[in-house]
């Protein structure tokens, strides 16, 4: 459901910066269904890749073999990402707070002696700063959905509306968060994440129980449409290839 909901948010013609895992699954599903002209950009320097299966990593040869062009990694960041030429960037998170800030660095208040040291930033801070929009895909629990992240690896909306503009960040930041329970969007007046959709079979109370802050619910809350047969068949083909 997470992959399908994320795929539905993408449109043909968009330039999408894709990470391995659920983001790659979602982007390739979208390209094979309703968005055939979606342009997939991978951090390794492949532009317009059209893999016939899900790549194992950003260095998977199938990305270069099926790309419109292969460029250097610095060029991906300096020419495509930083000037704002990427429409959508996908990110994951170990922790995500109510304003869409992401932590993939450390769990615990003491940076030098954390409870858990995570893989770190990679290109995520640049993606969060410069893509026109950012979509976050993360499994939801009180450990991952926290009131305030222990460390800001990738800047979302800071402590509220206007913080991105104060820092001169080009992109709009996280505009969509998709979890295994529902879909969240930032409120226009505060930039705080608000529940806008619940997946089939999930209740608002279940979502609240998996959230580490006093979650606000949209008055126009809707149910995520269930997967279609075409979406499921295409997704299974991708995973089986």
């Amino acid at each position: 459901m997470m992959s399908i909901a994320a795929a539905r948010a993408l449109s043909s013609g968009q330039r999408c910066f894709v990470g391995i895992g659920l983001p790659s699954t979602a982007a390739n599903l979208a390209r094979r269904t309703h968005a055939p002209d979606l342009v997939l950009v991978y951090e390794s320097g492949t532009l317009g890749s059209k893999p016939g299966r899900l790549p194992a990593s950003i260095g998977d040869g199938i990305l270069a073999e099926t790309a419109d062009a292969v460029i250097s990694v610095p060029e991906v960041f300096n020419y495509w990402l930083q000037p704002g030429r990427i429409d959508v960037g996908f990110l994951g998170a170990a922790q995500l707070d109510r304003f869409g800030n992401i932590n993939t660095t450390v769990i615990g208040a003491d940076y030098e002696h954390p409870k858990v040291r995570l893989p770190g930033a990679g290109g995520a801070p640049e993606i969060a700063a410069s893509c026109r929009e950012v979509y976050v895909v993360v499994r939801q629990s009180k450990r991952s959905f926290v009131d305030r992240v222990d460390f800001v690896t990738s800047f979302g909306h800071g402590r509220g509306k206007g913080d991105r503009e104060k820092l001169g960040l080009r992109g709009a930041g996280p505009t969509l968060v998709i979890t295994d329970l529902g879909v969240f969007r930032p409120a226009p007046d505060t930039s705080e994440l608000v529940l806008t959709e619940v997946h089939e079979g999930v209740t608002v109370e279940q979502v609240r129980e998996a959230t580490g802050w006093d979650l606000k619910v949209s008055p126009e809350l809707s149910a995520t449409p269930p997967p279609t047969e075409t979406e499921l068949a295409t997704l299974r083909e991708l995973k089986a290839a």
Side-chain angles (χ1 to χ4, degrees):
M1 192 64 248
M2 292 171 70
S3 297
I4 289 171
R8 289 171 177 169
L10 297 168
S11 302
S12 210
Q14 284 183 317
R15 295 177 290 266
C16 181
F17 202 102
V18 188
I20 294 302
L22 282 175
S24 184
T25 302
N28 280 283
L29 176 60
R31 196 182 62 80
R32 286 188 171 212
T33 51
H34 65 279
D37 294 326
L38 181 68
V39 180
L40 307 187
V41 179
Y42 285 82
E43 189 174 339
S44 52
T46 56
L47 307 179
S49 291
K50 305 168 189 66
R53 57 169 172 79
L54 292 179
S57 71
I58 60 170
D60 194 320
I62 197 171
L63 295 176
E65 291 166 6
T66 60
D68 294 329
V70 180
I71 61 178
S72 68
V73 173
E75 191 174 353
V76 171
F77 284 88
N78 295 337
Y79 183 78
W80 286 92
L81 189 57
Q82 291 171 346
R85 292 188 169 96
I86 301 295
D87 296 306
V88 177
F90 266 111
L91 291 176
Q95 285 184 332
L96 180 81
D97 68 23
R98 66 169 70 201
F99 293 108
N101 301 298
I102 291 172
N103 176 19
T104 55
T105 302
V106 292
I107 302 297
D110 186 349
Y111 179 83
E112 297 298 333
H113 303 91
K115 295 177 182 177
V116 180
R117 189 168 294 281
L118 300 166
E126 296 281 1
I127 295 168
S130 301
C131 285
R132 293 178 184 176
E133 294 184 82
V134 173
Y135 297 166
V136 183
V137 184
V138 59
R139 294 191 181 278
Q140 186 174 348
S141 70
K142 282 193 173 179
R143 290 199 305 173
S144 60
F145 258 49
V146 297
D147 182 59
R148 190 164 189 169
V149 291
D150 293 337
F151 185 94
V152 179
T153 307
S154 303
F155 196 84
H157 298 287
R159 301 316 302 161
K161 188 173 180 61
D163 277 7
R164 292 184 64 85
E165 289 76 7
K166 291 175 185 175
L167 294 176
L169 298 181
R170 180 186 301 275
T175 58
L176 187 70
V177 175
I178 298 168
T179 78
D180 49 338
L181 300 179
V183 176
F184 304 77
R185 293 176 174 85
D189 55 338
T190 65
S191 294
E192 182 175 336
L193 293 176
V194 174
L195 178 66
T196 59
E197 293 180 33
V198 289
H199 297 328
E200 190 175 20
V202 176
T203 66
V204 171
E205 187 55 37
Q206 285 177 302
V207 182
R208 288 190 189 279
E209 289 176 357
T211 304
W213 68 85
D214 184 14
L215 179 67
K216 293 180 174 62
V217 179
S218 170
E220 299 175 355
L221 180 70
S222 61
T224 309
T228 66
E229 287 300 322
T230 298
E231 288 170 331
L232 287 174
T234 306
L235 185 58
R236 288 167 183 152
E237 287 172 8
L238 273 172
K239 289 183 174 291

